[in-house]
Amino acid sequence: MKKIYLAGFDVFAPDAKQRGAKMKMMCAERGFIGLYPFDNEADNAPDIFTGNCGLIDQADIVIANLNPFRGDEPDSGTCFEVGCAYAKGKTVYGYVSDARTLREKLGDQDKDGFSVEDFGLPLNLMLACAAKVVEGDFAKALAVCAAEQA
């Protein structure tokens, strides 16, 4: 049975444990084993880092919540996990609720005058090229994953 690491800022939500349990249950219903960052059970930064990297090592697939978090970009920890998984040859799916291009969402410059890349992608090219980006929620990304991994 393939294992899916469930990356995303969901771990910061007030109902983080319930969210993780629900996503793991949804994985099981599709014939996968879900690995949630809280499975690691560490309580300090170095152990959380090592434990989550270990969960990514165990996984065959990563599904990442790449919606904006605390600004216009995805959570930086989730971005690291996507890059780590990609570098290890894992299949990566990312989901966003708004798949318009960065330019459509942000314009040609950000609020500080920096240019916004124009590659027709919904995320920075380093994420959009490392992951199959699905418009929708976790359930939609999991459905796409299940169809492609069948």
Side-chain angles (χ1 to χ4, degrees):
M1 196 175 298
K2 289 188 177 180
K3 296 177 182 176
I4 302 175
Y5 180 75
L6 309 170
F9 60 84
D10 304 274
V11 297
F12 300 113
D15 63 343
K17 289 185 180 181
Q18 293 87 346
R19 286 181 188 215
K22 182 178 179 183
M23 289 190 289
K24 288 173 69 169
M25 181 190 68
M26 292 168 71
C27 288
E29 290 169 352
R30 296 268 189 174
F32 297 102
I33 297 170
L35 304 173
Y36 192 61
F38 285 176
D39 294 345
N40 164 8
E41 295 187 13
D43 62 0
N44 64 69
D47 291 344
I48 292 169
F49 173 81
T50 300
N52 289 356
C53 287
L55 290 172
I56 292 168
D57 285 341
Q58 292 176 40
D60 303 289
I61 300 161
V62 169
I63 297 180
N65 182 347
L66 296 176
N67 283 296
F69 182 65
R70 298 181 181 146
D72 294 325
E73 295 283 338
D75 170 56
S76 57
T78 305
C79 293
F80 173 86
E81 291 171 328
V82 167
C84 178
Y86 178 81
K88 293 173 180 281
K90 312 291 181 176
T91 302
V92 181
Y93 296 87
Y95 59 95
V96 294
S97 58
D98 183 355
R100 290 179 301 148
T101 70
L102 282 176
R103 282 276 177 105
E104 289 172 322
K105 290 185 268 192
L106 303 175
D108 62 347
Q109 292 183 338
D110 69 13
K111 64 183 178 349
D112 296 316
F114 289 92
S115 65
V116 175
E117 63 185 72
D118 189 17
F119 296 107
L121 300 169
L123 298 164
N124 176 281
L125 71 95
M126 298 303 288
L127 288 172
C129 292
K132 175 166 188 149
V133 180
V134 175
E135 185 171 21
D137 58 8
F138 173 74
K140 175 72 178 200
L142 181 59
V144 171
C145 170
E148 291 186 358
Q149 298 296 316

